[in-house]
């Protein structure tokens, strides 16, 4: 049984179908990039995977013991989030809120978990710094450490390299590889960057108006869609 099984799923807004008859699976250890042009339905699918939007048809089944709360969501960075008036430590620790239930305060385990994940993301020395004063790359590592407090299984990232400089982008992909290969974290990433996706992911889901491709990176590179989009895409 896969972590995520998407069976004949369609999404619609007011009966207008925007994604139709989608079938794909995500297994433990996969690194899936969801690519496609603006308006192809990436955000809609993401909401579906998070349980925030119901499929119009078909179903999304979570398996292999995966609970909806174990999907760690890393949102796209917005201006409002950038201005969040909290320390790095507070931001990271807040990832434990789901585990905490209704108990007031954070437990020793929560704090140890936050500590461990800050170390993993290389931001222990930034703990007292204000989140809003960080660079884009540092902010993202804080958000990753926060998500890792919420899940040890699967991360869902929305356009994670937007606004990062080339060095931070490279560092980001290195961290993803480490989480995926060393720490067995399954990764789902919505991305604009086809070449980067092909370089780093294990699987590709390419949405385009009315159709889609799903398969391994190798299958994608050999497919008509892959050849067309990779051949036609300019660098950058
Ligand atoms: P992407 O994330 O790939 O840019 P979206 O999932 O945002 O694509 O959008 C897919 C399609 O659904 C687009 O045609 C968009 O106009 C439409 N859409 C998205 N959100 C809404 C909404 N809240 N109401 C109506 N249509 C929507």
């Amino acid at each position: 049984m896969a972590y995520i099984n998407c069976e004949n799923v369609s999404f619609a807004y007011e009966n207008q179908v925007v994604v139709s008859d989608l079938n794909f699976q995500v297994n433990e250890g996969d690194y899936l990039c969801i690519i496609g042009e603006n308006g192809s339905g990436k955000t809609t699918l993401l909401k579906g995977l998070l349980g925030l939007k119901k499929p119009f048809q078909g179903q999304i089944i979570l398996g292999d013991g995966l609970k909806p709360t174990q999907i760690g969501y890393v949102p796209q960075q917005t201006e409002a989030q950038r201005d969040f008036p909290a320390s790095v430590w507070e931001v990271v620790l807040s990832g434990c809120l789901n585990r905490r239930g209704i108990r007031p305060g954070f437990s020793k385990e929560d704090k140890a978990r936050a500590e461990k994940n800050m170390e993993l993301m290389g931001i222990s020395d930034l703990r007292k710094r204000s989140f809003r004063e960080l660079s884009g790359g540092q902010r993202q590592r804080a958000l990753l450490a926060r998500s890792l407090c919420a899940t040890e299984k699967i991360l869902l990232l929305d356009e994670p390299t937007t606004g990062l400089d080339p060095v931070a982008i490279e560092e980001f992909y290195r961290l993803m590889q480490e989480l995926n290969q060393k720490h067995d974290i399954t990764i789902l990433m919505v991305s604009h960057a086809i070449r980067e996706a092909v370089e780093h992911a294990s699987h590709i889901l390419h949405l385009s108006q009315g159709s889609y491709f799903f398969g391994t990176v190798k299958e994608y590179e050999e497919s008509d869609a892959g050849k067309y989009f990779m051949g036609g895409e300019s660098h950058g």
Side-chain angles (χ1 to χ4, degrees), residues 13 18 36-45 47:
Y13 294 98
V18 295
E37 286 167 25
N38 276 338
S40 59
K42 302 184 297 296
T43 308
T44 303
L45 173 60
K47 286 182 188 160

Side-chain angles (χ1 to χ4, degrees), residues 47-95:
K47 286 182 188 160
L49 293 171
L50 289 167
L52 301 173
K53 180 160 178 65
K54 271 207 157 137
F56 175 64
Q57 281 168 336
Q59 48 185 345
I60 296 173
I61 304 166
L62 300 186
D64 220 3
L66 184 68
K67 299 187 198 109
T69 53
Q70 290 174 320
I71 300 180
Y73 176 52
V74 184
Q76 204 169 352
Q77 289 194 40
T78 63
E79 285 301 328
Q81 283 156 0
R82 264 171 225 161
D83 232 13
F84 198 58
S87 69
V88 170
W89 169 248
E90 287 167 327
V91 167
V92 174
L93 191 60
S94 71

Side-chain angles (χ1 to χ4, degrees), residues 80-145:
Q81 283 156 0
R82 264 171 225 161
D83 232 13
F84 198 58
S87 69
V88 170
W89 169 248
E90 287 167 327
V91 167
V92 174
L93 191 60
S94 71
C96 297
L97 281 173
N98 248 350
R99 298 175 176 269
R100 196 179 61 155
I102 53 166
R103 278 182 297 116
F106 291 96
S107 68
K108 244 189 191 163
E109 291 77 39
D110 289 339
K111 289 177 186 167
R113 178 182 293 275
E115 204 79 63
K116 186 189 90 186
N117 288 323
M118 284 206 308
E119 214 161 288
L120 198 61
M121 291 296 109
I123 52 168
S124 298
D125 55 336
L126 300 177
R127 58 182 298 138
K128 287 187 180 150
R129 291 272 296 278
S130 170
F131 183 70
R132 51 160 59 126
E133 287 163 13
L134 303 180
S135 72
Q138 290 170 333
R139 231 175 356 238
Q140 189 180 48
R141 278 187 275 158
L143 292 176
L144 279 169

Side-chain angles (χ1 to χ4, degrees), residues 151-191:
T151 181
E152 284 152 356
K153 293 193 171 178
I154 180 164
L155 285 183
L156 215 165
L157 305 105
D158 190 7
E159 299 278 5
T161 57
T162 303
L164 296 186
D165 63 57
V167 175
I169 291 178
E170 209 165 294
E171 173 63 10
F172 166 76
Y173 282 115
R174 192 192 64 73
L175 282 173
M176 286 300 107
Q177 189 165 355
E178 190 176 313
L179 289 179
N180 182 239
Q181 293 181 0
K182 259 174 68 184
H183 301 279
D184 287 330
I185 299 208
T186 304
I187 292 173
L188 255 81
M189 188 189 296
V190 167
S191 172

Side-chain angles (χ1 to χ4, degrees), residues 33 35 173 191 193-204 206 216-218 220-221 226 230 233:
C33 276
I35 56 183
Y173 282 115
S191 172
I194 297 185
R195 272 171 211 285
E196 288 167 17
V198 166
E199 195 178 324
H200 299 282
S202 65
H203 292 74
I204 300 285
H206 189 140
T216 63
V217 162
K218 191 162 183 293
Y220 182 68
E221 284 175 317
M230 288 176 62
E233 193 199 39

